[in-house]
Amino acid sequence: MEFMDLNPPERILLGPGPSNVSARVMKALSSPIVGYMDPYFFDIMNQTQILLRNTFKTKNALTLPLSGTGSAGMEAAFSNTIEAGDEVVVGVNGYFGERMCEVITHLGGTPVRVVEEWGRIISEDAIEGALKNSKAKIIAIVHGETSTGIEQPIKEIAALTKKYDAILIVDAVTSLSGCELDVDGWGIDVCYSGSQKCINCPPGLAPITVNERALNTILNRKTKVPNFYLDLSLISKYWSETRVYHHTPPASMIYAIREALRVVQEEGLENRWERHRRNSQAFIAGIEAMGLKMHAQMDHRLPSLNTVVIPDGVSDASLRRRLLNDFDIEIGGGLGALRGKIWRIGLMGINSTEKNVIMMLETLERTLNKEGFHTNFGEGVKAATEFYNSH
Ligand code: PLP
């Protein structure tokens, strides 16, 4: 067998993640490795934690990038806070809410499901009803539901935690730095994310932040965290002044996320949220002008992940194949019940640009016409351009 040189195609990643990674971050990735007890590395770790705190908008001491993808963040959030037999109120309006229930049952917990249609937000009343009718002391909800394109309001749900003496776990894998998120201001107790979406770092790290209330829950467990690798009280000993070895940190990835977070900081969080919002709105204007429909509930659309209803008669697989083969553009198909029904078009981090919006609309329209869905050619780009000119 011949093993050829590695030569992956250069794609424009406008799917549900990963997103593209800048040359700056790729350069950081290839920097020399130092040992995990090297004072230079400690300095890089400290800086990474500060940048993460700024991005989550928190002062939580326990804020660090876990080794592993976003799922490691989810797994760590639940395995540290729940014990076998615990009930957890979970908002389920998409694939990742379902995934939370799955993780909870793996840990011997019982999800109390608050179900809503995929593509609609969950109301705080529904969450409160579940808290009243259960023994749950934990609420879990997805902020940016990547399977539906919903941006879930969090503040009102967070306000319930004091009244019911519960802690709130929020999945911010697709929302961190792509739309407003204020961990301390809203009162989120545990929040985790992934490196490969709006942060534009390769997949492989799961930033997580835990406040004092949640830390008390963790420190007062009756049983050990069932997972050594993700035990936050052990990991945090390495990520604090004691520097007790737990596992070898993936140094290159930590260099990379530090660099990616520096890019976030240079732009400014609020500016970044606004850029995502503006480009998503221009994209939606173009999509609707072409005669297509958005899937997610109006006024609750996630700017970093735009869901478009696939028009009747158009083949999902064939259109996505054409985009990939002819234009090197990746977009995502639907997950679970939405498979074949929607496209998921990510405008994440550095990929959320006017250039990408116009290019995506243009290529989507051309490809749709090839697939037999006829539009008034140019309407999409025209509407987006008008939006940019007036906003
Ligand atoms: N949560 C959400 C909302 C996600 O979108 C994803 C991945 O797309 C995950 C969790 C899991 O992250 P990963 O695939 O990086 O493990």
Side-chain angles (χ1 to χ4, degrees):
M1 182 187 277
E2 197 189 329
F3 297 102
M4 72 283 194
D5 287 347
L6 190 63
N7 191 19
E10 295 229 10
R11 307 290 198 203
I12 302 165
L13 298 173
L14 302 183
S19 57
N20 289 99
V21 175
S22 69
R24 245 176 96 166
V25 172
M26 292 306 284
K27 181 162 172 270
L29 258 180
S30 61
S31 303
I33 303 298
V34 292
Y36 63 87
M37 285 294 167
D38 193 311
Y40 178 82
F41 194 63
F42 294 157
D43 200 24
I44 294 300
M45 289 168 71
N46 289 339
Q47 291 181 24
T48 305
Q49 287 183 286
I50 293 169
L51 288 164
L52 275 180
R53 287 188 195 108
N54 294 347
T55 311
F56 275 120
K57 294 201 82 174
T58 185
K59 295 200 165 40
N60 293 338
L62 205 173
T63 304
L64 51 86
L66 288 168
S67 310
T69 62
S71 303
M74 190 186 286
E75 191 101 36
F78 290 117
S79 61
N80 282 270
T81 53
I82 72 171
E83 295 187 71
D86 283 354
E87 292 186 339
V88 183
V89 169
V90 188
V92 183
N93 56 348
Y95 181 91
F96 292 100
E98 287 287 355
R99 171 76 72 89
M100 284 176 156
C101 297
E102 189 62 30
V103 171
I104 291 163
T105 50
H106 270 254
L107 294 164
T110 306
V112 178
R113 300 157 62 92
V114 178
V115 178
E116 187 43 272
E117 201 181 310
W118 284 33
R120 301 195 66 81
I121 59 164
I122 302 204
S123 73
E124 66 268 25
D125 291 347
I127 297 283
E128 182 158 20
L131 286 168
K132 276 188 187 146
N133 294 321
S134 71
K135 296 194 293 296
K137 289 289 169 211
I138 299 177
I139 311 165
I141 198 138
V142 180
H143 184 212
E145 201 13 291
T146 327
S147 64
T148 63
I150 277 289
E151 181 183 338
Q152 169 68 41
I154 298 293
K155 211 160 127 185
E156 297 73 15
I157 292 173
L160 297 170
T161 57
K162 307 282 175 329
K163 188 167 166 195
Y164 291 89
D165 188 28
I167 62 166
L168 175 64
I169 297 176
V170 171
D171 177 318
V173 170
T174 299
S175 58
L176 184 67
S177 98
C179 63
E180 187 182 8
L181 172 70
D182 188 349
V183 167
D184 286 359
W186 293 350
I188 298 171
D189 300 293
V190 179
C191 191
Y192 61 85
S193 188
S195 49
Q196 78 276 20
K197 309 256 186 180
C198 300
I199 304 289
N200 307 114
C201 182
L205 290 177
I208 190 166
T209 186
V210 177
N211 71 7
E212 288 287 331
R213 289 178 78 224
L215 195 56
N216 277 339
T217 306
I218 297 173
L219 297 176
N220 288 316
R221 293 176 63 93
K222 292 184 218 62
T223 56
K224 273 189 174 181
V225 173
N227 183 325
F228 176 84
Y229 196 70
L230 295 173
D231 186 328
L232 286 170
S233 42
L234 301 178
I235 296 172
S236 61
K237 287 190 185 136
Y238 176 60
W239 283 86
S240 61
E241 289 314 310
T242 52
R243 304 289 179 205
V244 179
Y245 165 76
H246 178 259
H247 66 269
T248 309
S252 315
M253 282 300 295
I254 290 166
Y255 296 157
I257 201 165
R258 174 183 165 280
E259 193 60 29
L261 292 167
R262 255 166 36 102
V263 174
V264 173
Q265 173 135 320
E266 282 165 20
E267 178 174 17
L269 259 187
E270 278 78 7
N271 294 339
R272 198 171 174 93
W273 298 339
E274 173 55 22
R275 174 167 58 77
H276 279 83
R277 197 190 60 80
R278 182 166 181 264
N279 287 320
S280 171
Q281 287 190 356
F283 180 71
I284 294 170
I287 285 293
E288 291 180 341
M290 269 187 225
L292 300 177
K293 288 195 175 63
M294 297 300 290
H295 168 74
Q297 183 178 348
M298 183 126 64
D299 296 331
H300 295 289
R301 292 178 179 150
L302 183 64
S304 48
L305 197 278
N306 302 274
T307 47
V308 178
V309 177
I310 301 179
D312 285 344
V314 173
S315 158
D316 170 27
S318 167
L319 181 131
R320 283 192 288 125
R321 204 175 318 114
R322 276 187 201 267
L323 283 178
L324 197 66
N325 293 344
D326 300 352
F327 299 103
D328 270 317
I329 297 174
E330 177 182 274
I331 65 165
L335 281 180
L338 291 174
R339 194 161 170 215
K341 300 211 166 73
I342 59 165
W343 289 308
R344 296 184 300 149
I345 302 179
L347 294 168
M348 298 182 180
I350 58 168
N351 282 0
S352 172
T353 59
E354 183 168 337
K355 179 176 155 195
N356 277 346
V357 167
I358 299 297
M359 183 213 40
M360 186 67 240
L361 290 169
E362 164 97 36
T363 48
L364 183 63
E365 191 160 23
R366 277 204 205 192
T367 315
L368 276 169
N369 279 276
K370 278 192 198 156
E371 288 287 324
F373 179 82
H374 296 293
T375 62
N376 278 340
F377 209 79
E379 289 298 323
V381 168
K382 192 167 146 229
T385 308
E386 276 165 12
F387 178 91
Y388 281 122
N389 289 342
S390 58
H391 289 81

